[in-house]
Amino acid sequence: MEIKLANNKRGCIITTFAFIKRSSIIFILLFVTHLFGQETIIPLAKGGWVGGLSGNVSWDDYKINNSQVDGFNFSVSSRNGRFVMDDLSVGFDFQWKEKELAFQNQKTEFERHGFIGLWMRYYVPFFGTSLAMYPEASVGYGNYKSETRHSNAHWNIHNLTTADGFAYNVGLGITQFISNTISFEITGRYQGGTLSGTGPNNDEYSYKSKSNIEIELSNIDILFGIMIYLK
């Protein structure tokens, strides 16, 4: 009888010690996780500001029917806002894209696309890490311009197309905080909308005349950028 009681008491002590040990480990893990989690929580607090640049650059160099074509294009996006509540920023989105190609037969093509509008992003921090995901959206004014110039010893053609109207963007991205004020991010973005304007007549013998055109946007971009967070 006494031996059984002693064994029960020893078992209770071992069980209690194991419980305290496990609880301490869990508490330490939660505390450490909380400390590292601050890397994502602090910059995303209500009242702070966020702003930065993202974009991409590329160079073209290829041949069409043994005719050399080269060019340059880039896109830049600046999104800036204020945290109206924790993890939610509201502000402005500015975008600018340009593309220019030069052909060996004295033909050049130029294309430009701009956007400005209201922007909103909601951050979803990964607790215990310096990472956060975010969906974002913006709506506003878009404009488009393209020019084609083609000339030789006998003629000179200049085609101009311009259009503007409502455009919108929806995106999904992930950001990596390297401090409470700086992060690097990558965003996948879709742009839609309808722009109306004027362009060259499709009749090759009346290229100087204009016709009404409608441009339906359906663009997909992958953007790399850096953002600054301030209180």
Side-chain angles (χ1 to χ4, degrees), residues 91-202:
F92 295 94
D93 180 5
F94 173 78
Q95 301 170 28
W96 193 266
K97 298 180 184 178
E98 283 193 11
K99 181 177 183 179
E100 186 168 357
L101 295 175
F103 297 78
Q104 212 168 28
N105 59 355
Q106 297 184 0
K107 176 183 176 182
T108 61
E109 294 180 356
F110 171 81
E111 188 175 290
R112 185 188 70 202
H113 182 205
F115 171 86
I116 187 168
L118 297 176
W119 168 73
M120 179 176 66
R121 176 187 285 186
Y122 183 75
Y123 291 84
V124 183
F126 291 106
F127 188 69
T129 74
S130 56
L131 294 172
M133 288 186 64
Y134 54 82
E136 66 175 19
S138 58
V139 294
Y141 169 79
N143 66 75
Y144 173 86
K145 178 182 179 181
S146 70
E147 289 184 84
T148 300
R149 296 179 181 271
H150 197 181
S151 61
N152 60 26
H154 305 289
W155 40 263
N156 183 19
I157 297 177
H158 178 208
N159 287 332
L160 175 65
T161 300
T162 58
D164 59 7
F166 173 79
Y168 65 90
N169 303 270
V170 291
L172 183 66
I174 188 166
T175 185
Q176 166 76 61
F177 287 89
I178 60 174
S179 71
N180 283 332
T181 56
I182 300 175
S183 74
F184 293 104
E185 64 181 36
I186 179 172
T187 308
R189 184 174 66 190
Y190 172 83
Q191 183 179 69
T194 302
L195 310 181
S196 300
T198 59
N201 195 300
N202 290 328

